[in-house]
Amino acid sequence: DHQKADWVSIHERICQLLVPIRTALPGGLSENERKHGMEQLVRRQKYVIDLASGAAQEFVLDGKHKEAIPAALHALRFSTEVYGSNSVQLVPAYLLLAEASAGAGHLPQASKYLSQAEWIVLTTPDCSVTLHCKLHRSLGLFCAAGGNFDRALYHLANEIYLASSTFGLKSIETSGGYFHMANVFFRQNKMDVANSLYAKV
């Protein structure tokens, strides 16, 4: 079952791409040939990361969270190979894994992925505002899924603050935070606040 899920999720799409990635460079190459070979390898790995991330996002958007997990794991694995285990480049894969895991009902696993993403963001001084926003949104949605509405609102408020101070109060980037915050107030039966936020969106 596990192999079949992996095949349906992503392996069928990347199987042929894995052969040149997993094949070692031949011996006796010149420095330039070896450098070119390594550049080709990294280019292929980045292509697989994009393919796997895209597939995982499609599955999540379609509500197929279990199918998204193997694809997101491939994105994380190749991101780690290309960028290293503590790189900020891993955060999108961790957030995807967290969302897919939470949607599949694996909340403890989702929490671990979110913690890993949060740790990387907190230990990266020049981390982009966009990534901070994505992290706060993911944390907010996770807290809301677990019924911790106060904590969810805290994270969503942080997302809105960061997005609005960077992109403006009426930006598209800010509207997502308002929308998710409105959903939290809606779930709390605070309809006046929810409706005003939906109107703002």
Side-chain angles (χ1 to χ4, degrees):
D1 285 351
H2 185 72
Q3 261 185 330
K4 186 180 176 190
D6 182 54
W7 180 259
V8 168
S9 173
I10 190 62
H11 211 83
E12 185 177 14
R13 297 186 205 187
I14 64 170
C15 192
Q16 294 304 312
L17 300 170
L18 295 178
V19 176
I21 288 174
R22 297 295 181 220
T23 304
L25 289 173
L29 294 176
S30 70
E31 186 63 34
N32 279 346
E33 288 172 326
R34 194 167 32 257
K35 186 181 174 189
H36 178 71
M38 290 307 292
E39 286 169 358
Q40 288 286 93
L41 173 65
V42 169
R43 197 174 300 121
R44 286 184 180 118
Q45 288 172 319
K46 286 181 178 178
Y47 182 72
V48 170
I49 292 167
D50 290 343
L51 207 61
S53 297
Q57 285 171 334
E58 280 178 35
F59 282 124
V60 166
L61 289 173
D62 288 343
K64 299 176 179 176
H65 296 94
K66 281 185 181 175
E67 289 91 335
I69 293 171
L73 281 170
H74 276 290
L76 177 63
R77 190 173 302 126
F78 281 100
S79 295
T80 304
E81 285 180 24
V82 174
Y83 302 109
S85 58
N86 289 316
S87 169
V88 74
Q89 305 284 351
L90 274 61
V91 172
Y94 277 123
L95 295 180
L96 252 178
L97 274 166
E99 190 175 358
S101 298
H106 309 308
L107 293 183
Q109 194 61 45
S111 178
K112 285 179 187 174
Y113 291 133
L114 281 172
S115 294
Q116 195 67 39
E118 190 172 23
W119 171 252
I120 291 172
V121 168
L122 291 174
T123 56
T124 307
D126 57 344
C127 187
S128 71
V129 171
T130 304
L131 215 47
H132 273 281
C133 288
K134 285 180 180 177
L135 175 65
H136 278 296
R137 178 177 294 184
S138 294
L139 288 165
L141 293 176
F142 177 76
C143 291
N148 189 346
F149 297 130
D150 288 342
R151 196 80 188 138
L153 291 172
Y154 167 79
H155 284 297
L156 293 171
N158 274 317
E159 179 203 349
I160 291 167
Y161 169 75
L162 289 167
S164 63
S165 61
T166 305
F167 305 108
L169 278 170
K170 295 184 178 183
S171 65
I172 291 291
E173 290 84 358
T174 309
S175 66
Y178 287 128
F179 178 75
H180 292 298
M181 189 177 263
N183 287 342
V184 172
F185 282 119
F186 182 84
R187 288 178 64 187
Q188 291 179 308
N189 285 324
K190 296 179 179 175
M191 301 310 294
D192 289 350
V193 183
N195 286 332
S196 72
L197 286 170
Y198 285 133
K200 197 172 189 68
V201 173

